[in-house]
Amino acid sequence: MKNYAKPGEVMYHVGLSKEMLQGARYALVPGDPGRVEGLAKAVDPDAVYLASHREFTSWLACVAGEPVLVMSSGMGGPCITFVVEELGRLGVETFIRVGTTGSLQEDLNLGDVVISKAAVRTEGASKSYAPVEYPAVADLDVTVALRDAARELKVPFRLGVTVTTDSFWPGQERYDSFSGYMPRSLQGSLKEWQALGCTNFEMEAATLLTLCSVHNLRAGVICGVIAKRTDSEAVAPPDVYKKAEQRFQQVAKRALEKLIAADK
Ligand code: URA
């Protein structure tokens, strides 16, 4: 039996109660608390601020007549476990991670969008929930809604297998770290993921997809490319982020509209 929140119960980490969510069953989850307001207002100009606790900033929006929570996860797998655990208890059933990423294939350019079909679990947090043989796979309906929305909006996108890491530097084979040291086990890892056809590096997808699958919740992931790892380790300037942001915001909104219509 699921441990849903009691009336008036406030979740310790995210600072939200069922009453504050007004029955929201859908959540958009960016990593950065600073991006929540922009995303919430992009999907609903009348969105309202709810709370800010630790890395979890939340706003409530309305899309196609349905309340939608927009809440940041912070960075990395452990942070996103709080999102699924506590929002699950509050009745959220569908999660869409909306983030940024480094692309691994030549045909993915800065500002493009990647929709994850699945993710490689190199992170650690999901291992507290399921053995490594368990796949981190995205919900089919959420993924198809994201894909159809991207097509409809003519946003350049790829569906792919994402590599989720616990480290932005060695985990993604970046040498511009504090020490520049790369453990032997990770030397050549970027080339290997490329050879396996993986599309992108990021830091939350595998944890979100594994936990949602284990809990019988739905999850999908859309990320904007802000580093083109076939060219460089660098993160692109803010204008690239702006372009990617505009695209993933539009796609997320349209995908939500599609899902909400299909769920009715
Ligand atoms: N996020 C990542 O985890 N890696 C990148 O290269 C860009 C964004």
Side-chain angles (χ1 to χ4, degrees):
M1 208 178 66
K2 293 281 188 333
N3 177 23
Y4 288 110
K6 296 176 194 62
E9 186 179 354
V10 175
M11 297 297 103
Y12 181 80
H13 299 93
V14 301
L16 296 171
S17 65
K18 221 170 160 36
E19 290 75 11
M20 291 164 84
L21 259 61
Q22 295 180 27
R25 294 182 296 134
Y26 303 84
L28 293 177
V29 186
D32 182 353
R35 293 180 196 148
V36 174
E37 180 174 353
L39 176 58
K41 288 186 175 164
V43 299
D44 170 14
D46 297 323
V48 293
Y49 170 79
L50 288 182
S52 191
H53 279 236
R54 303 170 186 244
E55 55 271 67
F56 311 111
T57 292
S58 43
W59 282 62
L60 192 64
C62 182
V63 176
E66 276 283 325
V68 173
L69 180 68
V70 185
M71 190 182 89
S72 53
S73 63
M75 283 186 283
C79 291
I80 212 138
T81 67
F82 292 94
V83 174
V84 179
E85 289 281 0
E86 296 196 349
L87 297 189
R89 289 198 62 207
L90 295 175
V92 174
E93 295 165 349
T94 301
F95 296 79
I96 301 180
R97 162 163 156 71
V98 182
T100 55
T101 193
S103 66
L104 290 170
Q105 301 294 335
E106 278 295 351
D107 64 348
L108 269 168
N109 293 307
L110 293 172
D112 288 359
V113 154
V114 183
I115 297 164
S116 306
K117 292 189 288 192
V120 183
R121 295 171 55 196
T122 83
E123 39 68 74
S126 68
K127 291 171 189 134
S128 295
Y129 288 83
V132 284
E133 293 83 1
Y134 188 96
V137 63
D139 177 83
L140 191 60
D141 292 331
V142 177
T143 306
V144 167
L146 288 166
R147 182 201 63 183
D148 290 353
R151 270 190 190 150
E152 196 178 300
L153 294 161
K154 300 195 181 353
V155 163
F157 77 98
R158 274 226 14 213
L159 271 175
V161 176
T162 295
V163 181
T164 301
T165 70
D166 272 343
S167 150
F168 188 80
W169 283 277
Q172 299 183 7
E173 209 184 350
R174 273 193 171 85
Y175 291 84
D176 64 342
S177 60
F178 190 37
S179 73
Y181 178 69
M182 188 62 58
R184 220 172 332 158
S185 61
L186 291 169
Q187 291 174 23
S189 55
L190 185 140
K191 252 194 156 52
E192 188 158 352
W193 296 126
Q194 286 171 332
L196 293 170
C198 297
T199 41
N200 60 311
F201 275 139
E202 59 74 80
M203 298 183 67
E204 292 82 18
T207 319
L208 177 70
L209 299 181
T210 304
L211 266 67
C212 285
S213 182
V214 162
H215 291 118
N216 200 24
L217 300 166
R218 304 194 301 185
V221 178
I222 177 169
C223 288
V225 175
I226 59 157
K228 185 170 165 67
R229 295 300 308 280
T230 45
D231 291 352
S232 131
E233 293 187 0
V235 171
D239 58 306
V240 170
Y241 173 75
K242 275 277 147 220
K243 183 159 91 177
E245 181 185 44
Q246 215 183 8
R247 286 174 169 165
F248 59 61
Q249 284 179 345
Q250 283 180 316
V251 173
K253 178 176 181 179
R254 189 70 195 110
L256 268 178
E257 288 167 351
K258 287 175 180 291
L259 282 169
I260 290 165
D263 290 346
K264 279 200 169 134

